[in-house]
């Protein structure tokens, strides 16, 4: 009989359970126990899993039912205001302060914090707090950090370094020079080196349309392939014509390679487009193979000027402002977008992808492979520097200068 009663109670409980809250469940169990009589509390507890203590509390509540007005005053609450388990911070008031001192030891805690130089995972934070006498789990750390206003974030590129006092003035100087030369029919080009790329079946950023569930397989590890090496794209961008030239090097991003690319652009495109050109204005970054302090860059430009008879006027961007170089956001960014998600399996692939890059604004790029070797470590002597026909501008001559051909002495 008892076994049958337990099964009946269990069946009734499972049928009503989805529509009952804690209060009604407690009162229903108490009602069933009272109807059974002696042993009812134990039998209902066995059938439903409800604690005998809870059933007894329900029996007491049945003896003194709440007034309707009182139920309305609670706004339909199941528990009394303040009921339920207290948060951990209630029992441990110093927990939040201890946690924040570990997350930001320099601003809110001890600069000598043991976690200052480590990855502050929730497991390590919990272990350190336990060592300080705070009983807390990694899962609770997540909740507490959210309460403190923390979230997982990556670093953001926002600092450009020291801002030169003449930074804006140099930008204005470059713009004025470019407009002046373009009005007189002279070409104005922007030059720079694009990021080196590993050649081979390596993962490339971005996504490309492929049959569903059949992504192109690439190598797991991005270690340089000694046979394929790296691709070093150096570009020349004609601002007025919206036309670019890229030499894909295989050796080093050296100053000699940079000027060789400029020479190729002039021979293949520039001289035909500007047959009457007498000057060649060039805008470049302040560092790298075409940096303002690079002696070899100036020496090779002098040789180029001597060969072509062009007066080459160079304007360098101030330190920390390479992203403002026209070639970066008018040519290189489109190359990157064009080959997104595609492994650069060989040098021919790199050249073809660059050469096929176009935009809605009419950008065209010619690309060519340069397999010549450009060794590093070439020392330019002071005697060679003194022999250059170079004239520094009155405004920041270290950034702005003109190299004149020595043969024609223009």
């Amino acid at each position: 009989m008892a076994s049958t009663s337990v099964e009946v109670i269990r069946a009734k409980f499972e049928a009503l359970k989805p529509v009952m809250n804690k209060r009604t469940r407690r009162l229903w169990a108490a009602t069933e126990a009272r109807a059974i009589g002696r042993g009812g509390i134990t039998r209902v507890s066995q059938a439903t899993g409800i604690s005998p203590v809870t059933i007894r509390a329900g029996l007491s509540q049945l003896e003194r039912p709440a007034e309707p007005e009182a139920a309305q005053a609670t706004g339909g609450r199941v528990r009394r205001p303040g009921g339920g388990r207290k948060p951990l911070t209630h029992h441990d008031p110093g927990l939040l302060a201890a946690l924040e001192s570990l997350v930001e030891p320099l601003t809110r805690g001890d600069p000598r914090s043991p976690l200052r130089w480590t990855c502050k995972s929730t497991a390590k934070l919990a272990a350190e707090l336990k060592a300080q006498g705070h009983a807390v789990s990694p899962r609770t750390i997540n909740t507490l950090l959210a309460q403190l206003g923390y979230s997982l974030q990556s670093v953001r590129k926002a600092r450009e370094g020291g801002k030169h006092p003449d930074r804006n003035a140099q930008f204005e100087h470059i713009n004025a020079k470019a407009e002046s030369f373009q009005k007189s029919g002279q070409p104005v080009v922007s030059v720079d080196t694009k990021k080196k790329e590993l050649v081979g079946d390596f993962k490339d950023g971005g996504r490309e349309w492929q049959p569903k569930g059949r992504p192109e397989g690439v190598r797991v590890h991005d270690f340089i392939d000694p046979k394929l090496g790296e691709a070093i794209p150096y570009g020349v961008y004609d601002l007025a014509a919206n036309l670019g030239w890229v030499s894909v090097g295989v050796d080093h991003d050296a100053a000699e390679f940079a000027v060789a690319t400029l020479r190729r652009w002039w021979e293949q495109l520039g001289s035909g487009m500007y047959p009457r050109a007498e000057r060649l204005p060039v805008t470049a970054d302040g560092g790298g193979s075409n940096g303002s302090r690079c002696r070899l860059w100036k020496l090779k430009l002098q040789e180029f000027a001597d060969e072509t008879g062009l007066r080459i006027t160079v304007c360098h961007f101030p330190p920390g402002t390479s992203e403002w170089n026209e070639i970066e956001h008018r040519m290189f960014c489109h190359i990157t977008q064009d080959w997104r998600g595609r492994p650069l399996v060989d040098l021919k692939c790199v050249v073809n992808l660059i050469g096929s890059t176009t935009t809605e604004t009419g950008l065209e790029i010619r690309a060519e492979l340069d397999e010549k070797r450009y060794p590093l470590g070439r020392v330019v002597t002071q005697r060679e520097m003194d022999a250059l026909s170079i004239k520094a501008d009155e405004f920041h001559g270290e950034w702005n200068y003109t190299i004149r051909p020595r043969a024609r002495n223009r």
Side-chain angles (χ1 to χ4, degrees):
M1 182 67 180
S3 176
T4 303
S5 298
V6 169
E7 292 176 359
V8 171
I9 295 170
R10 182 180 295 114
K12 291 164 65 177
F13 177 71
E14 293 298 330
L16 294 173
K17 184 179 179 180
V19 297
M20 291 191 298
N21 57 33
K22 290 184 178 180
R23 181 174 183 274
T24 55
R25 189 159 55 240
R26 181 173 63 249
L27 293 176
W28 174 86
T31 302
E32 290 291 326
R34 188 169 63 178
I36 294 172
R38 183 179 178 84
I41 294 177
T42 301
R43 200 169 301 171
V44 172
S45 178
Q46 292 174 349
T48 63
I50 299 175
S51 169
V53 176
T54 301
I55 298 175
R56 291 191 183 94
L59 287 170
S60 300
Q61 196 171 355
L62 288 174
E63 297 298 328
R64 42 182 180 77
E67 296 294 332
E69 293 79 5
Q72 292 177 4
T74 62
R77 293 177 61 94
V78 176
R79 292 176 175 169
R80 296 188 306 273
R85 186 167 55 181
K86 302 297 181 184
L88 190 58
T89 52
H90 176 80
H91 303 288
D92 188 355
L95 176 59
L96 285 178
L99 173 60
E100 197 158 18
S101 69
L102 291 176
V103 177
E104 292 195 56
L106 291 180
T107 57
R108 292 182 173 84
D110 182 2
R112 295 169 295 178
S113 166
L115 296 186
R116 180 180 176 186
W117 305 111
T118 65
C119 174
K120 293 183 281 290
S121 66
T122 54
K124 289 183 178 179
L125 289 170
E128 181 60 28
L129 287 171
K130 286 181 179 178
Q132 296 179 14
H134 304 280
V136 62
S137 68
R139 185 182 294 274
T140 303
I141 292 291
N142 280 325
T143 304
L144 296 178
L145 287 173
Q147 292 178 11
L148 290 170
Y150 290 90
S151 64
L152 288 173
Q153 300 180 42
S154 60
V155 296
R156 178 189 302 171
K157 291 184 177 180
R159 302 175 185 171
E160 294 183 351
K163 184 176 178 180
H164 197 282
D166 290 333
R167 164 180 158 160
N168 292 337
Q170 176 65 3
F171 284 148
E172 294 172 0
H173 179 80
I174 293 174
N175 291 335
K177 285 279 188 181
E179 290 178 4
S180 174
F181 284 123
Q182 286 178 340
K183 287 180 180 179
S184 62
Q186 307 297 316
V188 179
V189 297
S190 171
V191 300
D192 197 11
T193 308
K194 194 181 184 301
K195 181 177 73 71
K196 293 181 182 180
E197 301 288 348
L198 290 176
V199 180
D201 52 344
F202 297 102
K203 180 181 178 181
D204 194 13
R207 296 182 292 178
E208 179 68 6
W209 291 106
Q210 297 284 358
K212 190 172 182 179
R214 293 168 55 190
E216 187 169 356
V218 295
R219 304 187 196 191
V220 175
H221 301 293
D222 293 341
F223 299 124
I224 187 171
D225 188 319
K227 294 182 180 180
L228 298 175
E230 294 179 307
I232 308 170
Y234 190 93
V236 180
Y237 175 69
D238 185 336
L239 278 64
N242 197 21
L243 181 63
W245 174 276
V246 176
S247 288
V248 179
V250 297
D251 192 27
H252 296 107
D253 178 23
E256 188 177 358
F257 171 54
V259 178
T261 302
L262 189 61
R263 181 183 288 106
R264 281 196 176 192
W265 166 82
W266 177 253
E267 293 172 351
Q268 300 292 331
L269 298 176
S271 59
M273 296 177 60
Y274 305 96
R276 299 181 180 179
E278 297 179 350
R279 309 190 68 163
L280 178 59
V282 178
T283 62
D285 288 352
S289 58
N290 47 229
S292 59
R293 298 182 180 181
C294 182
R295 288 188 167 193
L296 187 58
W297 160 255
K298 296 175 182 178
L299 178 65
K300 292 301 176 180
L301 282 181
Q302 180 69 72
E303 295 175 1
F304 178 46
D306 294 343
E307 295 169 9
T308 60
L310 293 169
R311 280 185 289 176
I312 303 174
T313 298
V314 182
C315 295
H316 291 278
F317 286 91
T321 61
S322 60
E323 71 274 11
W324 297 104
N325 196 341
E326 292 283 355
I327 196 173
E328 291 284 353
H329 53 85
R330 294 183 64 177
M331 191 173 86
F332 283 165
C333 66
H334 298 297
I335 295 174
T336 302
Q337 179 70 12
D338 190 62
W339 68 26
R340 69 189 187 283
R342 298 185 182 184
L344 306 177
V345 293
D346 54 35
L347 291 168
K348 182 180 179 180
C349 173
V350 176
V351 173
N352 289 339
L353 285 173
I354 294 175
S356 63
T357 300
T358 58
T359 65
E360 294 181 357
T361 59
L363 171 68
E364 293 183 16
I365 304 175
R366 308 283 179 86
E368 198 172 278
L369 182 63
D370 185 352
E371 296 183 289
K372 184 178 177 180
R373 297 296 169 179
Y374 297 98
L376 300 176
R378 166 75 159 84
V379 178
V380 179
T381 65
Q382 186 58 46
R383 183 176 180 179
E384 289 175 308
M385 291 299 296
D386 294 337
L388 299 181
S389 180
I390 184 170
K391 181 181 179 181
D393 284 10
E394 293 182 1
F395 178 74
H396 278 287
E398 74 279 16
W399 293 343
N400 308 291
Y401 49 87
T402 299
I403 296 178
R404 296 171 293 183
R406 289 174 293 197
R408 303 186 186 184
N409 196 25
R410 294 193 179 188

